[in-house]
Amino acid sequence: MPEIVIVKDKAEAGRLVADYLRERLVQRPDLVLGLATGSSPLPVYENLAAQQVNAGQSSSPGIFSRLQAFALDEYVGLPPGHSQSFQSVLTEQVVRPLGLLTENVHFPDVSAEQIQQAAERYEQEIEAAGGVDIQLLGIGTNGHLGFNEPGSSLASRTRVKTLSEQTRVDNARFFENVSQVPTLCLTQGLGTISAAKHLILLAFGKQKADAIVAAVEGPITATTPGSVLQFHPHATVIVDTAAASKLANSSYYLQAWNNKPDWQTI
Ligand code: GLP
């Protein structure tokens, strides 16, 4: 089962994960990092960016110069360069602030005519980079990982999926209204995600409590995509007390303000 780490707030989560990533980058400058969108990984990106600014390196890649990054998923059907495409969002939130080299940051080619071939090419790119070392993840209120909606095969690979109504409603906050949220996406599969050496899932707020309890304490089933974490040899779930509030075994879990997580090495 994943290591569960309960934090006081998002800032503590951001600090923990950013410190871990910086340590890993010192040991392995060519680390391969899986990037997720959504609000949950933001404290990590913000902490990394703030340290870059403190070090006076905001416009130079510094410790990130050899980092390879792969996006987890993308909408299909938005015009190229749309402000809400995950490529634009990750460019604004991660690539620019950290000064990542654009040639080291990979996005699936969702404008390809043969989109399934583009999905297969993306799998090959990940493999050619030696696989993802650390994959950051959020979780949807309906339990989705990446855009693997409930019902996704636990062994699935990168492919086109239809977004659920729940996900479109949840993501409508980034668009003028729900009708503008694309209906299709391209996402790494649950099998692709599981191949990363270390998974770090972040979730905050009581609206994530049901998804978290189902993912970590519920049965392993395609109906609960997040439950694939229970199969993973090295998964860490970082939650605030609200997102952890429905966990039955919370007394067994680590409270980050008392103990340092056992990150293990990858
Ligand atoms: C999106 C992304 C997911 C993300 C989820 C949760 O739909 N495709 O990767 O985990 O939303 O987002 P948030 O962290 O904003 O709650």
Short mmCIF file of all heavy atoms in Angstrom, two decimals, residues 114-182:
data_model
loop_
_atom_site.label_atom_id
_atom_site.label_comp_id
_atom_site.label_asym_id
_atom_site.label_seq_id
_atom_site.Cartn_x
_atom_site.Cartn_y
_atom_site.Cartn_z
N GLN A 114 -3.17 11.23 -37.06
CA GLN A 114 -3.31 9.85 -36.57
C GLN A 114 -3.02 9.87 -35.07
O GLN A 114 -1.89 9.63 -34.65
CB GLN A 114 -2.30 8.93 -37.28
CG GLN A 114 -2.37 8.96 -38.79
CD GLN A 114 -3.65 8.32 -39.29
OE1 GLN A 114 -4.18 7.40 -38.66
NE2 GLN A 114 -4.18 8.83 -40.39
N ILE A 115 -4.03 10.15 -34.29
CA ILE A 115 -3.75 10.44 -32.89
C ILE A 115 -3.32 9.20 -32.10
O ILE A 115 -2.50 9.29 -31.19
CB ILE A 115 -4.94 11.19 -32.23
CG1 ILE A 115 -4.50 11.75 -30.90
CG2 ILE A 115 -6.16 10.33 -32.09
CD1 ILE A 115 -4.95 13.13 -30.64
N GLN A 116 -3.85 8.04 -32.49
CA GLN A 116 -3.43 6.84 -31.76
C GLN A 116 -1.94 6.56 -31.99
O GLN A 116 -1.23 6.13 -31.09
CB GLN A 116 -4.30 5.62 -32.12
CG GLN A 116 -4.04 4.38 -31.25
CD GLN A 116 -3.96 4.66 -29.72
OE1 GLN A 116 -4.71 5.48 -29.18
NE2 GLN A 116 -3.04 3.98 -29.02
N GLN A 117 -1.47 6.91 -33.22
CA GLN A 117 -0.03 6.74 -33.48
C GLN A 117 0.78 7.73 -32.63
O GLN A 117 1.86 7.41 -32.14
CB GLN A 117 0.27 6.94 -34.96
CG GLN A 117 -0.20 5.75 -35.78
CD GLN A 117 0.00 5.98 -37.27
OE1 GLN A 117 0.69 6.90 -37.69
NE2 GLN A 117 -0.64 5.13 -38.07
N ALA A 118 0.21 8.93 -32.46
CA ALA A 118 0.90 9.93 -31.62
C ALA A 118 0.98 9.41 -30.18
O ALA A 118 1.99 9.61 -29.49
CB ALA A 118 0.16 11.25 -31.66
N ALA A 119 -0.06 8.72 -29.74
CA ALA A 119 -0.07 8.16 -28.37
C ALA A 119 1.02 7.09 -28.25
O ALA A 119 1.77 7.05 -27.27
CB ALA A 119 -1.44 7.57 -28.06
N GLU A 120 1.14 6.27 -29.29
CA GLU A 120 2.18 5.22 -29.25
C GLU A 120 3.58 5.83 -29.29
O GLU A 120 4.49 5.37 -28.60
CB GLU A 120 1.96 4.23 -30.41
CG GLU A 120 0.77 3.31 -30.12
CD GLU A 120 0.17 2.67 -31.37
OE1 GLU A 120 0.90 2.52 -32.38
OE2 GLU A 120 -1.03 2.31 -31.33
N ARG A 121 3.71 6.91 -30.09
CA ARG A 121 5.03 7.58 -30.15
C ARG A 121 5.40 8.15 -28.77
O ARG A 121 6.56 8.12 -28.38
CB ARG A 121 4.99 8.74 -31.17
CG ARG A 121 5.22 8.33 -32.61
CD ARG A 121 5.69 9.51 -33.45
NE ARG A 121 4.78 10.64 -33.42
CZ ARG A 121 3.68 10.75 -34.17
NH1 ARG A 121 3.36 9.79 -35.02
NH2 ARG A 121 2.90 11.81 -34.06
N TYR A 122 4.39 8.65 -28.07
CA TYR A 122 4.66 9.23 -26.75
C TYR A 122 5.18 8.16 -25.79
O TYR A 122 6.12 8.38 -25.04
CB TYR A 122 3.37 9.88 -26.21
CG TYR A 122 3.62 10.90 -25.12
CD1 TYR A 122 4.47 11.98 -25.32
CD2 TYR A 122 2.99 10.79 -23.88
CE1 TYR A 122 4.70 12.91 -24.32
CE2 TYR A 122 3.22 11.72 -22.87
CZ TYR A 122 4.07 12.79 -23.11
OH TYR A 122 4.31 13.72 -22.12
N GLU A 123 4.57 6.98 -25.86
CA GLU A 123 5.05 5.85 -25.05
C GLU A 123 6.52 5.57 -25.38
O GLU A 123 7.34 5.31 -24.49
CB GLU A 123 4.23 4.59 -25.34
CG GLU A 123 2.83 4.61 -24.78
CD GLU A 123 2.75 4.08 -23.35
OE1 GLU A 123 3.60 3.28 -22.94
OE2 GLU A 123 1.82 4.49 -22.64
N GLN A 124 6.83 5.60 -26.69
CA GLN A 124 8.22 5.30 -27.10
C GLN A 124 9.19 6.37 -26.60
O GLN A 124 10.31 6.06 -26.20
CB GLN A 124 8.30 5.18 -28.64
CG GLN A 124 7.65 3.91 -29.16
CD GLN A 124 7.24 4.01 -30.63
OE1 GLN A 124 7.58 4.99 -31.31
NE2 GLN A 124 6.49 3.04 -31.11
N GLU A 125 8.72 7.64 -26.61
CA GLU A 125 9.60 8.73 -26.11
C GLU A 125 9.91 8.52 -24.63
O GLU A 125 11.04 8.73 -24.19
CB GLU A 125 8.89 10.09 -26.25
CG GLU A 125 8.96 10.71 -27.61
CD GLU A 125 8.21 12.04 -27.63
OE1 GLU A 125 8.48 12.92 -26.80
OE2 GLU A 125 7.30 12.17 -28.48
N ILE A 126 8.89 8.11 -23.88
CA ILE A 126 9.10 7.89 -22.43
C ILE A 126 10.11 6.75 -22.25
O ILE A 126 11.04 6.84 -21.44
CB ILE A 126 7.76 7.56 -21.71
CG1 ILE A 126 6.81 8.76 -21.79
CG2 ILE A 126 8.00 7.14 -20.26
CD1 ILE A 126 5.41 8.48 -21.28
N GLU A 127 9.92 5.71 -23.04
CA GLU A 127 10.82 4.56 -22.93
C GLU A 127 12.25 4.96 -23.31
O GLU A 127 13.21 4.58 -22.63
CB GLU A 127 10.32 3.47 -23.88
CG GLU A 127 10.60 2.08 -23.36
CD GLU A 127 10.09 1.05 -24.34
OE1 GLU A 127 8.87 1.04 -24.59
OE2 GLU A 127 10.94 0.28 -24.86
N ALA A 128 12.37 5.76 -24.37
CA ALA A 128 13.71 6.17 -24.84
C ALA A 128 14.44 7.01 -23.78
O ALA A 128 15.66 7.02 -23.72
CB ALA A 128 13.60 6.95 -26.14
N ALA A 129 13.66 7.71 -22.96
CA ALA A 129 14.28 8.52 -21.89
C ALA A 129 14.65 7.65 -20.69
O ALA A 129 15.17 8.15 -19.70
CB ALA A 129 13.32 9.63 -21.46
N GLY A 130 14.33 6.36 -20.75
CA GLY A 130 14.65 5.45 -19.65
C GLY A 130 13.51 5.31 -18.65
O GLY A 130 13.69 4.78 -17.56
N GLY A 131 12.31 5.81 -19.01
CA GLY A 131 11.15 5.71 -18.12
C GLY A 131 11.12 6.89 -17.15
O GLY A 131 12.12 7.59 -16.98
N VAL A 132 9.95 7.10 -16.57
CA VAL A 132 9.78 8.21 -15.62
C VAL A 132 10.31 7.78 -14.25
O VAL A 132 10.00 6.69 -13.78
CB VAL A 132 8.29 8.62 -15.54
CG1 VAL A 132 8.05 9.62 -14.42
CG2 VAL A 132 7.83 9.19 -16.88
N ASP A 133 11.14 8.62 -13.63
CA ASP A 133 11.66 8.32 -12.29
C ASP A 133 10.64 8.70 -11.22
O ASP A 133 10.33 7.91 -10.34
CB ASP A 133 12.97 9.09 -12.05
CG ASP A 133 14.08 8.58 -12.93
OD1 ASP A 133 14.31 7.35 -12.96
OD2 ASP A 133 14.73 9.40 -13.62
N ILE A 134 10.17 9.93 -11.28
CA ILE A 134 9.22 10.41 -10.26
C ILE A 134 8.02 11.01 -10.99
O ILE A 134 8.17 11.93 -11.81
CB ILE A 134 9.86 11.47 -9.35
CG1 ILE A 134 11.08 10.88 -8.63
CG2 ILE A 134 8.84 12.00 -8.34
CD1 ILE A 134 11.89 11.89 -7.83
N GLN A 135 6.84 10.47 -10.73
CA GLN A 135 5.63 10.96 -11.37
C GLN A 135 4.78 11.69 -10.33
O GLN A 135 4.36 11.10 -9.33
CB GLN A 135 4.82 9.80 -11.96
CG GLN A 135 3.48 10.20 -12.55
CD GLN A 135 3.62 11.08 -13.78
OE1 GLN A 135 4.27 10.70 -14.76
NE2 GLN A 135 3.01 12.28 -13.76
N LEU A 136 4.55 12.98 -10.55
CA LEU A 136 3.64 13.74 -9.69
C LEU A 136 2.22 13.50 -10.17
O LEU A 136 1.97 13.45 -11.39
CB LEU A 136 3.96 15.23 -9.76
CG LEU A 136 5.37 15.63 -9.28
CD1 LEU A 136 5.59 17.12 -9.47
CD2 LEU A 136 5.58 15.24 -7.81
N LEU A 137 1.29 13.38 -9.24
CA LEU A 137 -0.11 13.10 -9.59
C LEU A 137 -1.05 13.90 -8.70
O LEU A 137 -0.74 14.16 -7.53
CB LEU A 137 -0.45 11.62 -9.36
CG LEU A 137 0.27 10.58 -10.21
CD1 LEU A 137 0.06 9.19 -9.62
CD2 LEU A 137 -0.26 10.63 -11.66
N GLY A 138 -2.21 14.25 -9.26
CA GLY A 138 -3.34 14.68 -8.45
C GLY A 138 -4.38 13.59 -8.56
O GLY A 138 -4.11 12.52 -9.14
N ILE A 139 -5.57 13.83 -8.05
CA ILE A 139 -6.65 12.84 -8.22
C ILE A 139 -7.94 13.62 -8.44
O ILE A 139 -8.15 14.66 -7.80
CB ILE A 139 -6.72 11.88 -7.00
CG1 ILE A 139 -7.68 10.71 -7.29
CG2 ILE A 139 -7.12 12.61 -5.71
CD1 ILE A 139 -7.54 9.54 -6.30
N GLY A 140 -8.77 13.15 -9.37
CA GLY A 140 -10.06 13.80 -9.61
C GLY A 140 -11.03 13.48 -8.48
O GLY A 140 -10.84 12.51 -7.75
N THR A 141 -12.07 14.30 -8.35
CA THR A 141 -13.07 14.00 -7.30
C THR A 141 -13.74 12.65 -7.58
O THR A 141 -14.22 11.99 -6.67
CB THR A 141 -14.14 15.10 -7.18
OG1 THR A 141 -14.73 15.28 -8.47
CG2 THR A 141 -13.55 16.42 -6.71
N ASN A 142 -13.74 12.23 -8.85
CA ASN A 142 -14.32 10.92 -9.18
C ASN A 142 -13.26 9.82 -9.17
O ASN A 142 -13.50 8.71 -9.61
CB ASN A 142 -15.02 10.96 -10.55
CG ASN A 142 -14.05 11.16 -11.70
OD1 ASN A 142 -12.85 11.35 -11.49
ND2 ASN A 142 -14.56 11.10 -12.91
N GLY A 143 -12.06 10.16 -8.70
CA GLY A 143 -11.01 9.15 -8.56
C GLY A 143 -10.09 9.03 -9.75
O GLY A 143 -9.21 8.17 -9.77
N HIS A 144 -10.27 9.88 -10.79
CA HIS A 144 -9.40 9.69 -11.97
C HIS A 144 -7.94 10.05 -11.68
O HIS A 144 -7.64 10.91 -10.86
CB HIS A 144 -9.93 10.44 -13.20
CG HIS A 144 -9.81 11.92 -13.19
ND1 HIS A 144 -10.86 12.75 -13.49
CD2 HIS A 144 -8.76 12.74 -12.95
CE1 HIS A 144 -10.46 14.01 -13.43
NE2 HIS A 144 -9.19 14.03 -13.09
N LEU A 145 -7.07 9.35 -12.37
CA LEU A 145 -5.62 9.64 -12.33
C LEU A 145 -5.24 10.04 -13.74
O LEU A 145 -5.56 9.32 -14.69
CB LEU A 145 -4.81 8.39 -12.00
CG LEU A 145 -4.72 7.89 -10.57
CD1 LEU A 145 -3.60 6.85 -10.45
CD2 LEU A 145 -4.51 9.00 -9.57
N GLY A 146 -4.50 11.17 -13.89
CA GLY A 146 -4.31 11.71 -15.23
C GLY A 146 -5.73 11.99 -15.73
O GLY A 146 -6.51 12.64 -15.03
N PHE A 147 -6.08 11.46 -16.90
CA PHE A 147 -7.48 11.52 -17.33
C PHE A 147 -8.02 10.10 -17.46
O PHE A 147 -8.87 9.84 -18.31
CB PHE A 147 -7.61 12.29 -18.64
CG PHE A 147 -7.84 13.77 -18.48
CD1 PHE A 147 -7.27 14.68 -19.36
CD2 PHE A 147 -8.68 14.28 -17.48
CE1 PHE A 147 -7.49 16.05 -19.25
CE2 PHE A 147 -8.91 15.64 -17.36
CZ PHE A 147 -8.32 16.53 -18.24
N ASN A 148 -7.51 9.19 -16.66
CA ASN A 148 -8.05 7.82 -16.66
C ASN A 148 -9.29 7.82 -15.77
O ASN A 148 -9.19 7.78 -14.54
CB ASN A 148 -7.01 6.83 -16.13
CG ASN A 148 -5.83 6.71 -17.07
OD1 ASN A 148 -5.90 6.00 -18.08
ND2 ASN A 148 -4.76 7.43 -16.78
N GLU A 149 -10.43 7.88 -16.45
CA GLU A 149 -11.70 7.96 -15.73
C GLU A 149 -12.07 6.58 -15.16
O GLU A 149 -11.50 5.56 -15.59
CB GLU A 149 -12.80 8.41 -16.71
CG GLU A 149 -12.55 9.78 -17.33
CD GLU A 149 -12.83 10.94 -16.37
OE1 GLU A 149 -12.79 10.76 -15.14
OE2 GLU A 149 -13.06 12.05 -16.87
N PRO A 150 -13.00 6.53 -14.18
CA PRO A 150 -13.43 5.23 -13.67
C PRO A 150 -13.82 4.30 -14.83
O PRO A 150 -14.49 4.72 -15.77
CB PRO A 150 -14.65 5.61 -12.81
CG PRO A 150 -14.34 7.00 -12.34
CD PRO A 150 -13.64 7.65 -13.49
N GLY A 151 -13.35 3.08 -14.75
CA GLY A 151 -13.60 2.11 -15.83
C GLY A 151 -12.37 1.91 -16.70
O GLY A 151 -12.34 1.02 -17.55
N SER A 152 -11.31 2.73 -16.49
CA SER A 152 -10.08 2.57 -17.28
C SER A 152 -9.35 1.30 -16.83
O SER A 152 -9.22 1.05 -15.63
CB SER A 152 -9.14 3.75 -17.04
OG SER A 152 -9.71 4.94 -17.51
N SER A 153 -8.84 0.57 -17.80
CA SER A 153 -8.07 -0.64 -17.45
C SER A 153 -6.88 -0.27 -16.59
O SER A 153 -6.18 0.71 -16.87
CB SER A 153 -7.60 -1.33 -18.74
OG SER A 153 -6.48 -2.14 -18.44
N LEU A 154 -6.62 -1.08 -15.58
CA LEU A 154 -5.47 -0.82 -14.71
C LEU A 154 -4.15 -1.03 -15.47
O LEU A 154 -3.10 -0.63 -15.00
CB LEU A 154 -5.53 -1.72 -13.47
CG LEU A 154 -6.76 -1.52 -12.56
CD1 LEU A 154 -6.72 -2.49 -11.38
CD2 LEU A 154 -6.86 -0.09 -12.04
N ALA A 155 -4.23 -1.69 -16.63
CA ALA A 155 -3.01 -1.94 -17.43
C ALA A 155 -2.94 -1.02 -18.64
O ALA A 155 -2.08 -1.20 -19.50
CB ALA A 155 -3.00 -3.39 -17.89
N SER A 156 -3.85 -0.04 -18.74
CA SER A 156 -3.94 0.77 -19.97
C SER A 156 -2.67 1.56 -20.25
O SER A 156 -1.92 1.90 -19.35
CB SER A 156 -5.13 1.74 -19.86
OG SER A 156 -5.08 2.43 -18.62
N ARG A 157 -2.46 1.84 -21.55
CA ARG A 157 -1.32 2.65 -21.99
C ARG A 157 -1.86 3.98 -22.53
O ARG A 157 -3.08 4.20 -22.57
CB ARG A 157 -0.51 1.93 -23.08
CG ARG A 157 -0.09 0.51 -22.77
CD ARG A 157 0.71 0.32 -21.50
NE ARG A 157 1.93 1.08 -21.40
CZ ARG A 157 2.92 0.82 -20.53
NH1 ARG A 157 2.81 -0.21 -19.68
NH2 ARG A 157 3.99 1.58 -20.47
N THR A 158 -0.97 4.84 -23.01
CA THR A 158 -1.36 6.17 -23.51
C THR A 158 -2.37 6.02 -24.66
O THR A 158 -2.14 5.25 -25.59
CB THR A 158 -0.11 6.93 -23.99
OG1 THR A 158 0.80 7.01 -22.90
CG2 THR A 158 -0.47 8.33 -24.45
N ARG A 159 -3.46 6.76 -24.58
CA ARG A 159 -4.53 6.62 -25.57
C ARG A 159 -5.51 7.78 -25.46
O ARG A 159 -5.47 8.53 -24.49
CB ARG A 159 -5.29 5.29 -25.38
CG ARG A 159 -6.12 5.31 -24.09
CD ARG A 159 -6.06 4.00 -23.39
NE ARG A 159 -6.89 3.98 -22.19
CZ ARG A 159 -6.59 4.58 -21.04
NH1 ARG A 159 -5.54 5.35 -20.93
NH2 ARG A 159 -7.40 4.47 -20.00
N VAL A 160 -6.44 7.83 -26.42
CA VAL A 160 -7.49 8.86 -26.37
C VAL A 160 -8.62 8.36 -25.49
O VAL A 160 -8.97 7.17 -25.54
CB VAL A 160 -8.01 9.15 -27.80
CG1 VAL A 160 -9.18 10.13 -27.75
CG2 VAL A 160 -6.89 9.72 -28.64
N LYS A 161 -9.16 9.24 -24.67
CA LYS A 161 -10.28 8.87 -23.79
C LYS A 161 -11.36 9.96 -23.88
O LYS A 161 -11.07 11.11 -24.22
CB LYS A 161 -9.83 8.82 -22.32
CG LYS A 161 -8.98 7.63 -21.95
CD LYS A 161 -9.74 6.34 -21.89
CE LYS A 161 -10.64 6.20 -20.68
NZ LYS A 161 -11.36 4.91 -20.68
N THR A 162 -12.57 9.57 -23.53
CA THR A 162 -13.66 10.53 -23.41
C THR A 162 -13.73 10.98 -21.96
O THR A 162 -13.66 10.14 -21.05
CB THR A 162 -15.00 9.86 -23.81
OG1 THR A 162 -14.86 9.36 -25.13
CG2 THR A 162 -16.16 10.83 -23.75
N LEU A 163 -13.84 12.29 -21.75
CA LEU A 163 -13.92 12.80 -20.37
C LEU A 163 -15.31 12.56 -19.80
O LEU A 163 -16.32 12.69 -20.52
CB LEU A 163 -13.60 14.30 -20.35
CG LEU A 163 -12.17 14.63 -20.74
CD1 LEU A 163 -11.99 16.14 -20.89
CD2 LEU A 163 -11.20 14.09 -19.71
N SER A 164 -15.37 12.26 -18.53
CA SER A 164 -16.68 12.07 -17.89
C SER A 164 -17.32 13.44 -17.66
O SER A 164 -16.63 14.47 -17.62
CB SER A 164 -16.51 11.35 -16.55
OG SER A 164 -15.93 12.23 -15.61
N GLU A 165 -18.62 13.44 -17.50
CA GLU A 165 -19.34 14.69 -17.26
C GLU A 165 -18.83 15.34 -15.97
O GLU A 165 -18.63 16.55 -15.90
CB GLU A 165 -20.85 14.38 -17.16
CG GLU A 165 -21.75 15.54 -17.52
CD GLU A 165 -21.30 16.37 -18.73
OE1 GLU A 165 -20.84 15.80 -19.74
OE2 GLU A 165 -21.38 17.62 -18.63
N GLN A 166 -18.56 14.50 -14.95
CA GLN A 166 -18.06 15.02 -13.67
C GLN A 166 -16.75 15.79 -13.85
O GLN A 166 -16.57 16.89 -13.33
CB GLN A 166 -17.85 13.85 -12.69
CG GLN A 166 -17.28 14.25 -11.34
CD GLN A 166 -18.27 15.09 -10.53
OE1 GLN A 166 -19.37 14.65 -10.26
NE2 GLN A 166 -17.87 16.29 -10.16
N THR A 167 -15.84 15.22 -14.65
CA THR A 167 -14.55 15.87 -14.87
C THR A 167 -14.73 17.17 -15.65
O THR A 167 -14.09 18.18 -15.35
CB THR A 167 -13.61 14.91 -15.64
OG1 THR A 167 -13.41 13.77 -14.80
CG2 THR A 167 -12.27 15.54 -15.97
N ARG A 168 -15.63 17.16 -16.63
CA ARG A 168 -15.86 18.38 -17.42
C ARG A 168 -16.45 19.48 -16.53
O ARG A 168 -16.06 20.64 -16.61
CB ARG A 168 -16.74 18.08 -18.63
CG ARG A 168 -16.03 17.14 -19.62
CD ARG A 168 -16.83 16.91 -20.89
NE ARG A 168 -16.95 18.09 -21.68
CZ ARG A 168 -18.11 18.61 -22.08
NH1 ARG A 168 -19.25 18.01 -21.76
NH2 ARG A 168 -18.14 19.71 -22.80
N VAL A 169 -17.36 19.08 -15.65
CA VAL A 169 -17.95 20.07 -14.71
C VAL A 169 -16.86 20.58 -13.77
O VAL A 169 -16.71 21.79 -13.55
CB VAL A 169 -19.13 19.44 -13.94
CG1 VAL A 169 -19.57 20.32 -12.78
CG2 VAL A 169 -20.31 19.16 -14.88
N ASP A 170 -16.02 19.67 -13.22
CA ASP A 170 -14.94 20.08 -12.31
C ASP A 170 -13.98 21.05 -13.00
O ASP A 170 -13.48 21.98 -12.38
CB ASP A 170 -14.12 18.86 -11.84
CG ASP A 170 -14.84 18.03 -10.79
OD1 ASP A 170 -15.88 18.48 -10.27
OD2 ASP A 170 -14.35 16.92 -10.48
N ASN A 171 -13.70 20.81 -14.28
CA ASN A 171 -12.70 21.62 -14.99
C ASN A 171 -13.29 22.85 -15.67
O ASN A 171 -12.55 23.66 -16.23
CB ASN A 171 -11.92 20.76 -16.00
CG ASN A 171 -10.97 19.81 -15.28
OD1 ASN A 171 -10.95 19.76 -14.05
ND2 ASN A 171 -10.18 19.08 -16.02
N ALA A 172 -14.63 23.01 -15.58
CA ALA A 172 -15.29 24.17 -16.20
C ALA A 172 -14.78 25.47 -15.59
O ALA A 172 -14.84 26.52 -16.22
CB ALA A 172 -16.80 24.07 -16.05
N ARG A 173 -14.21 25.39 -14.36
CA ARG A 173 -13.71 26.61 -13.71
C ARG A 173 -12.58 27.27 -14.50
O ARG A 173 -12.31 28.45 -14.31
CB ARG A 173 -13.29 26.33 -12.27
CG ARG A 173 -12.09 25.39 -12.11
CD ARG A 173 -11.96 24.98 -10.63
NE ARG A 173 -10.69 24.34 -10.29
CZ ARG A 173 -10.42 23.05 -10.45
NH1 ARG A 173 -11.34 22.24 -10.98
NH2 ARG A 173 -9.26 22.57 -10.08
N PHE A 174 -11.94 26.50 -15.37
CA PHE A 174 -10.84 27.07 -16.15
C PHE A 174 -11.32 27.63 -17.51
O PHE A 174 -10.52 28.16 -18.27
CB PHE A 174 -9.77 26.00 -16.41
CG PHE A 174 -9.18 25.45 -15.13
CD1 PHE A 174 -9.40 24.14 -14.75
CD2 PHE A 174 -8.41 26.27 -14.30
CE1 PHE A 174 -8.86 23.63 -13.57
CE2 PHE A 174 -7.87 25.78 -13.12
CZ PHE A 174 -8.10 24.46 -12.75
N PHE A 175 -12.60 27.45 -17.81
CA PHE A 175 -13.14 27.90 -19.10
C PHE A 175 -14.31 28.84 -18.81
O PHE A 175 -14.71 29.02 -17.66
CB PHE A 175 -13.64 26.67 -19.90
CG PHE A 175 -12.53 25.74 -20.31
CD1 PHE A 175 -12.03 24.80 -19.42
CD2 PHE A 175 -11.97 25.81 -21.59
CE1 PHE A 175 -10.99 23.93 -19.79
CE2 PHE A 175 -10.93 24.96 -21.97
CZ PHE A 175 -10.45 24.01 -21.08
N GLU A 176 -14.89 29.43 -19.89
CA GLU A 176 -16.04 30.32 -19.65
C GLU A 176 -17.24 29.55 -19.16
O GLU A 176 -18.00 30.00 -18.32
CB GLU A 176 -16.38 31.09 -20.92
CG GLU A 176 -15.57 32.38 -21.01
CD GLU A 176 -15.70 33.05 -22.34
OE1 GLU A 176 -16.79 32.97 -22.96
OE2 GLU A 176 -14.69 33.65 -22.78
N ASN A 177 -17.46 28.38 -19.71
CA ASN A 177 -18.55 27.51 -19.24
C ASN A 177 -18.24 26.07 -19.63
O ASN A 177 -17.32 25.81 -20.41
CB ASN A 177 -19.92 27.96 -19.77
CG ASN A 177 -19.90 28.03 -21.28
OD1 ASN A 177 -19.60 27.04 -21.95
ND2 ASN A 177 -20.19 29.20 -21.83
N VAL A 178 -19.06 25.16 -19.11
CA VAL A 178 -18.75 23.73 -19.26
C VAL A 178 -18.76 23.29 -20.73
O VAL A 178 -18.03 22.37 -21.11
CB VAL A 178 -19.68 22.87 -18.36
CG1 VAL A 178 -21.10 22.86 -18.86
CG2 VAL A 178 -19.14 21.45 -18.21
N SER A 179 -19.57 23.99 -21.57
CA SER A 179 -19.66 23.56 -22.96
C SER A 179 -18.31 23.76 -23.69
O SER A 179 -18.07 23.17 -24.73
CB SER A 179 -20.78 24.29 -23.69
OG SER A 179 -20.41 25.64 -23.82
N GLN A 180 -17.45 24.62 -23.13
CA GLN A 180 -16.15 24.85 -23.78
C GLN A 180 -15.09 23.83 -23.36
O GLN A 180 -13.99 23.82 -23.91
CB GLN A 180 -15.65 26.25 -23.45
CG GLN A 180 -16.54 27.31 -24.04
CD GLN A 180 -15.95 28.69 -23.87
OE1 GLN A 180 -14.94 28.87 -23.21
NE2 GLN A 180 -16.60 29.66 -24.47
N VAL A 181 -15.40 23.02 -22.35
CA VAL A 181 -14.42 22.01 -21.90
C VAL A 181 -14.42 20.90 -22.95
O VAL A 181 -15.49 20.37 -23.28
CB VAL A 181 -14.79 21.44 -20.52
CG1 VAL A 181 -13.73 20.45 -20.04
CG2 VAL A 181 -14.98 22.56 -19.49
N PRO A 182 -13.25 20.55 -23.49
CA PRO A 182 -13.24 19.50 -24.51
C PRO A 182 -13.88 18.20 -23.99
O PRO A 182 -13.95 17.97 -22.78
CB PRO A 182 -11.75 19.29 -24.78
CG PRO A 182 -11.10 20.55 -24.37
CD PRO A 182 -11.91 21.09 -23.24
#
